[in-house]
Amino acid sequence: MTVSAPPAPSAPAVAPSRGSRFTGAAANYIDERTSISGLVKELGRKIFPDHWSFMLGEVALYSFVVILLSGTFLTFFFQPSMTEVVYNGSYVPLKGMQMSAAYSSTLNISFDIRGGLLFRQIHHWAALLFIAAIGLHMLRVYFTGAFRKPREINWVIGFVLFILAMAEGFTGYSLPDDLLSGNGLRIIDGLIKGIPVIGTWISYLLFGGEFPGTKVVAMFFSIHILLLPAILVAALGAHLLLMVINKHTQFAGPGRTNDNVVGVPILPIFAAKAGGFFFVVFGVIVLIASLFTINPIWTYGPYDPSPVSAGTQPDWYIGFADGALRLIPPGWEFVWLNHTWSFNIIVVILVLPIFLAAVAFYPFIEGWITGDKREHHIAQRPRNAPARTAIGAAGVTFYAVLWAAASSDLIATHFHVSIEGVIHVLQALVFLGPIIAYIVTKRVCIGLQKKDREIALHGFESGRIVRLPGGEYVEVHEQLSDYERWRLVSFDEYEPLMIRPNAQGRITTAQRTRAALSRWFFEDRIMPVTKTEIEQQHH
Amino acid sequence: MAKNTLSTARRGRRHPLATIALIVIGLVSTGGAYALFSSTASANTPASTTTATVDQGKKLFAANCATCHGVNAGGVAGVGPSLYGVGAASVDFQVSTGRMPLANQGVQAEQKPAQFTKDQISALATYVASLSPGPGIPDAKYLKGNGNLANGAELFRINCAMCHNVAGAGGALTQGKFAPTLSGVLPVHVYEAMVSGPQNMPVFNDKNLTPAQKADVITYLKYLDQNPSPGGIDLGNLGPVSEGLFIWIFGLGAIVGVTIWIAAKAN
């Protein structure tokens, strides 16, 4: 299957040195007891395509490793308890204050344990980078159609990883029990209490009584360092395993087909490069962590339900949920059957899961609409799937508007506009933005496809003007090489599904919807250039 | 080192603090904020009130402020409020931070370079204070920044952070108004802002926050100004939003740059 994996290096002709004899013996010893050589051979020959965007998942993986390492350090010193203590460490503005042991121990990590602040900052920055890298990796997979058969399941696992990462982030953010995280938890508490009927029960269960209670930090700690990481590592294992089994997708190019993968095999080159890349990621994180403050809990102060700071925001990945709450207009609460129905909250806890579910199940939705059952190993260029790219752009816009809404107050102060103005504009944009993004993206994709087609058939404008014998001026078009053209013309063609009667000779509503959706998906399309067209062009 | 200053400050100040508090309660209950509500005579009207400065102030006022505040500072309906009872503190704050004279009728009088000299400002303040008693210029002993730091930090979080942000970075209010950043604001202006409550800021009279507590708040703000974040560059103290933007633009940006470079090398 793999075309360019170099043959395994054969035994050297010279007599082995002492060192290599030792390694050989050791390797043999291990192999005879674990039969690991088969696995290494298999894995070692896994091919990685060398487009940069294929490394985003790696960035996420490496930041996760950094998180694990720095997090382990933090667990040695953190006390997950909400017992009241009097702070007596070296941060003067908090000296003598009553606070929870969790907060006090986080202050100690920051000020009294050597390297503690650096580790805290590494851990937090790495967490932000981890989720950002996952986000970008998901966008890459989405926009190149790399989630199509046979990779749908891996997409879902990836999505689960994304959710787990957010949950990890949120529980971690809450652990120091500072004012900011307490306010964040208070919002979550409000969200939960807004759920009709069972909300209050759940809140009492979660916080062990009335918010904030005395249990939540200890519980979040177990979830944060044990439960979620265990699930995350398992899901990550499955994700990587499936990636090895399914192999990578690759962009179309000379010699790259649906049946091969072109790139470098893991061993030895890629492994070395990846090892180096791990240190690059680690290095960037440490550099940022040593130069830039993150989550200065000492200024936030210990959690106390009364003060709330201006500019209270969650970490970026929870921002979209905070923004959704901020965008709900006032007055969506009413009393019915002696109960308060908080639609300002109910709408948010309905809309966000629907949005997330659409992301999670997108491969199946698209598969159903297109009726495409083929296996795909060639990554699509986004322009060649205009409808999908446009849907993606609409989704990104929706998310971005919610995200912006979470920082509405900062937008207001920094651009000298009123916060109401910002909110109203964003309220309009949350509906209009995705529509505009959809239309514009689709047009742009089709425009680009037309240009590709034009270039594939007629070459590109060389800027050289020639005068013909008849006196006429023409611009010379440079023809593409076959290699270059291949990139432009090799993509799948699709057509809307036809409505077909089923076995009973009936046309079901499901089929009608499907056909309608399929028409919407594919009605505007540019056909790939065919061989005949190219040949005709050359005569 | 900081530990020592605090503990000595505490030990040394326990008595003075108590005395100060007593004096303050005695003096200020007859003047200061009390005057704001009951218009009784103020003990805080500066002692240096001489006819000369009042006259000078009156002239300056007539030339620069009367169009909006009325010839006798009684206010002009719809243009500028009456200044009776605002006291020297308010005038000093408004004029030395350049908020007054108001440049344009925006949502909020914004800070700009002061347009008068120290003497002129003090004349204006004396003049306005001579019309009707109000909170005076704060005593220098509250402005030294040697109060109780931890107490000041807590008072700040409880009373000020909802508008000015825990780190004093500022924050948005409704209708385009905002609470400005407090970094670099002079202690005297912090004190005056608390007693006069400019525009949308509430008045923190001496019953709300005693002068000693105000001194604590000033101590904390001074501490924030003088001690950069222990974690490194603070990204404007804007919290998770600036952190999120930073990691996306610079963190991920740098790493994507590296991936592109690696991939380009490979080809």
Side-chain angles (χ1 to χ4, degrees), chain A residues 179-197:
Chain A
L179 189 60
L180 185 68
S181 70
N183 285 327
L185 270 181
R186 185 53 156 169
I187 294 174
I188 296 289
D189 176 51
L191 265 183
I192 294 174
K193 285 192 175 135
I195 303 172
V197 189

Side-chain angles (χ1 to χ4, degrees), chain A residues 331-452:
Chain A
W332 282 20
E333 257 181 341
F334 56 87
V335 176
W336 181 56
L337 295 179
N338 251 336
H339 280 283
T340 308
W341 297 79
S342 307
F343 273 87
N344 46 357
I345 285 169
I346 297 172
V347 168
V348 171
I349 45 190
L350 283 180
V351 169
L352 294 185
I354 290 175
F355 174 70
L356 290 176
V359 175
F361 297 113
Y362 186 81
F364 306 102
I365 301 172
E366 188 187 301
W368 183 71
I369 292 177
T370 59
D372 188 0
K373 298 250 167 11
R374 292 172 287 183
E375 281 204 5
H376 294 281
H377 298 289
I378 294 285
Q380 265 177 319
R381 297 170 81 207
R383 67 185 64 171
N384 290 335
R388 177 203 303 138
T389 305
I391 294 172
V396 168
T397 312
F398 177 73
Y399 184 90
V401 172
L402 296 187
W403 203 19
S407 45
S408 51
D409 51 334
L410 292 173
I411 297 178
T413 48
H414 285 248
F415 296 99
H416 288 277
V417 285
S418 80
I419 191 165
E420 290 87 349
V422 175
I423 292 284
H424 287 150
V425 168
L426 291 176
Q427 278 169 339
L429 275 182
V430 85
F431 293 104
L432 297 180
I435 298 175
I436 297 170
Y438 179 87
I439 296 170
V440 170
T441 312
K442 197 156 178 186
R443 286 297 124 199
V444 168
C445 285
I446 289 174
L448 287 171
Q449 274 187 299
K450 277 194 184 135
K451 192 188 96 202
D452 279 356

Side-chain angles (χ1 to χ4, degrees), chain A residues 95 121 291 293 295 308 310 420, chain B residues 3 161 175 229 231-233 243:
Chain A
K95 250 197 155 125
Q121 302 207 127
L291 292 180
T293 310
N295 200 18
V308 176
E420 290 87 349
Chain B
K3 237 190 255 183
Q175 255 107 40
S229 169
I233 299 163
E243 291 159 7

